[in-house]
């Protein structure tokens, strides 16, 4: 029923993902949400995000930031890393994801999308056929429309986790 919203992975933080292992599996591009995925909502790039981006470059990944936020916010964050970005992406529409893949020069089979919201980041990437990683939100400061969506996300996550348990006990 809710499977279109289910991530391929559900982890605590974008900083915990096994990017080396995913690279070994053939992934070459990563699309990141910014707010509450890499930094708190509205925060500037920090040492932690810089270290992650440097690590990903050393591994060999292309990176693109995809955000529904406005140009000045996204450009400023991406500019700290000299990375590609798309602002006002219209997530969960798949067009933003397709544009990000084109900018990185990768296919959907080579792409990972990392984000903290099911109804924008994960659903949009699933619609584009991209491997998805859901992370827990970093901060609690959010716009009211996101706060309301979080309530419905909890319902979807309940079904998602229940389905994962069933798969685990069936095998």
């Amino acid at each position: 029923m809710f499977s279109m919203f289910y991530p391929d992975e559900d982890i605590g933080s974008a900083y915990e993902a096994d990017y080396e292992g995913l690279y070994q599996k053939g992934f070459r591009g990563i699309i990141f949400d910014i707010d509450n995925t890499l930094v708190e909502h509205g925060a500037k790039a920090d040492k932690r995000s810089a270290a992650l981006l440097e690590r990903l470059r050393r591994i060999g990944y292309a990176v693109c930031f995809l955000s529904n936020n406005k140009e000045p916010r996204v450009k400023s964050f991406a500019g700290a890393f000299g990375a590609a970005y798309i602002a006002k992406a219209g997530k969960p529409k798949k067009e933003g994801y397709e544009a990000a893949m084109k900018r990185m020069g990768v296919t959907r089979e080579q792409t990972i999308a990392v984000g903290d919201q099911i109804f924008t980041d994960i659903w949009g990437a699933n619609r584009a056929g991209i491997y998805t990683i859901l992370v827990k939100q970093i901060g609690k400061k959010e716009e009211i429309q996101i706060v309301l969506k979080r309530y419905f996300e909890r319902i979807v996550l309940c079904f998602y986790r229940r389905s994962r348990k069933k798969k685990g006990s069936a095998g």
Side-chain angles (χ1 to χ4, degrees):
M1 176 177 172
F2 293 120
S3 61
M4 71 183 98
F5 302 114
Y6 293 173
D8 293 299
E9 286 186 47
D10 174 22
I11 61 176
S13 166
Y15 299 96
E16 298 173 5
D18 179 13
Y19 296 111
E20 290 82 2
L22 291 164
Y23 192 87
Q24 292 300 317
K25 291 179 180 179
F27 293 102
R28 297 297 181 263
I30 304 176
I31 299 170
F32 278 108
D33 177 52
I34 298 171
D35 290 318
N36 276 329
T37 296
L38 292 172
V39 294
E40 287 192 25
H41 184 80
K44 294 182 179 185
D46 57 15
K47 290 179 182 178
R48 187 177 180 202
S49 56
L52 176 61
L53 268 288
E54 181 55 34
R55 174 181 161 209
L56 296 174
R57 283 200 175 113
R58 280 194 314 269
I59 295 169
Y61 282 107
V63 171
C64 184
F65 296 105
L66 185 70
S67 176
N68 283 347
N69 216 320
K70 296 177 181 151
E71 178 91 12
R73 163 71 178 141
V74 183
K75 182 178 182 179
S76 171
F77 190 89
F81 308 111
Y85 71 91
I86 298 171
K88 298 180 82 174
K91 295 184 285 183
K93 293 179 183 175
K94 65 181 183 176
E95 290 81 5
Y97 293 91
E98 291 168 345
M101 288 185 283
K102 187 174 182 178
R103 287 184 187 184
M104 293 187 294
V106 296
T107 66
R108 67 188 75 249
E109 295 81 17
Q110 297 174 306
T111 306
I112 302 163
V114 181
D116 69 298
Q117 291 187 58
I118 288 175
F119 298 123
T120 53
D121 305 318
I122 302 305
W123 187 27
N126 283 344
R127 294 175 76 200
I130 298 170
Y131 187 87
T132 55
I133 299 176
L134 176 67
V135 298
K136 288 180 177 44
Q137 72 188 79
I138 291 176
K140 297 297 179 198
K141 177 184 161 196
E142 295 183 304
E143 297 170 348
I144 187 64
Q145 70 271 19
I146 296 172
V147 172
L148 295 173
K149 284 192 277 184
R150 295 282 186 203
Y151 172 79
F152 294 105
E153 283 185 355
R154 285 195 296 272
I155 295 167
V156 173
L157 283 171
C158 179
F159 282 96
Y160 164 72
R161 292 187 175 121
R162 189 178 302 160
S163 75
R164 304 258 314 175
K165 282 183 182 178
K166 286 181 183 177
K167 286 180 184 177
S169 64

